[in-house]
Amino acid sequence: MQIITHPEELRELCYQWWREDVNTGLVPTMGYFHAGHESLIKYARANSEKVITTLFVNPAQFAPHEDLATYPRDLDRDAAIAESHGTDILYAPEADTMYDADHATWVEVPELAKHMCGASRPIFFRGICTVVTKLFMLTMPKMAVFGEKDWQQLAIIKRMVRDLRMPVNVVGCPLIREEDGLAMSSRNVYLSLEERAQAPGVYKGLLAGRAAVEAGETNVDAVKATIRETWAANVPLANEDYMEIIHPESLERLDEITGPAHIAVALLLGKTRLIDNVALNHNGS
Ligand code: AMP
């Protein structure tokens, strides 16, 4: 595995592959790898000739009060993990090589970014779309792999790629959980022992909501009430940031669950923001 830190070097190598029609797979990440990231790298390894894993804590998606400075980092450990799963290139640039001081160009999908995570993090998806576009331009991958853990992010990137006719196949891989159900996240290391003990309650709530729908409930408010009851009993330390029941692709809010639907949530457990989501299987859909 080759570690590259400079964009020009990455571009030179990737454009050579592109000219040779090599089937390249890109895995964009912010590092501090866990089994969720590993599953994406494994998918790329199994489905492409060359795997490019990127590790960049993207300043453009962090608001000033957020955790850019304290975001967990461990390049040596991540490099060993990336290599063990067959990454060919690990791209780990410095921020100033990705953004000029007078950077002024942004890629946005406001229609899909206006609610859920975008409501409490207004510049978040603009930062993500912009950096993902930059990574696509630098690497020209045939395929790019993202996790369903970040459901809204995946939907937005798919729409961006479709709208801008980017020649990249965007693949979503399943959300990977701890054994107790907590969605894996690099930020889980922020949780105190007490918070960590309660954190699986987030998923318990979503499962209770899904069970209600499978039992025939179609009313969104009723499903949300069931989820909130489960949270109150299992994760009392948490404060809800949002809970939305949405169409899985358009992300539009639903009132009644009569077809494809998805629950997406964010909760604050202490200072840690946990997100999670599950698909709903309505009987009639
Ligand atoms: P991050 O480093 O958190 O920005 O995540 C990089 C990629 O890994 C994104 O596509 C995420 O959706 C994905 N990812 C993060 N956590 C998980 C997880 N628990 N299961 C599956 N994919 C994940």
Side-chain angles (χ1 to χ4, degrees), residues 228-236:
R228 288 190 180 114
E229 272 170 35
T230 313
W231 283 344
N234 290 279
V235 57

Side-chain angles (χ1 to χ4, degrees), residues 28-31 34 36-37 40 71 146-147 149-150 153 174-176 184:
T29 83
M30 298 207 300
H34 51 65
H37 298 109
L40 309 187
Y71 195 84
F146 295 87
K149 154 93 189 316
D150 299 271
Q153 167 176 287
L175 195 166
I176 305 293
M184 287 194 179

Side-chain angles (χ1 to χ4, degrees), residues 20-21 68 100 121 132 145 153 158 173 177 181 185 216 219 237 273:
E20 293 165 359
D21 206 25
L68 174 64
D100 293 333
R121 307 184 74 187
V132 168
V145 189
Q153 167 176 287
K158 281 185 174 164
C173 285
R177 299 180 182 281
S185 163
N219 183 268
L237 284 175
R273 195 162 170 282

Side-chain angles (χ1 to χ4, degrees), residues 153-192:
Q153 167 176 287
L154 179 60
I156 287 175
I157 288 169
K158 281 185 174 164
R159 181 69 68 89
M160 173 187 84
V161 162
R162 194 190 84 189
D163 285 351
L164 297 181
R165 307 287 191 265
M166 293 178 172
V168 182
N169 174 25
V170 174
V171 176
C173 285
L175 195 166
I176 305 293
R177 299 180 182 281
E178 303 284 357
E179 271 182 21
D180 60 14
L182 174 63
M184 287 194 179
S185 163
S186 306
R187 289 191 167 100
N188 290 348
V189 295
Y190 297 154
L191 295 169
S192 71

Side-chain angles (χ1 to χ4, degrees), residues 259-281:
H262 216 86
I263 313 176
V265 302
L267 289 91
L268 275 166
L269 199 43
K271 288 192 185 133
T272 311
R273 195 162 170 282
L274 302 177
I275 61 169
D276 203 341
N277 67 86
V278 296
L280 291 175
N281 307 308

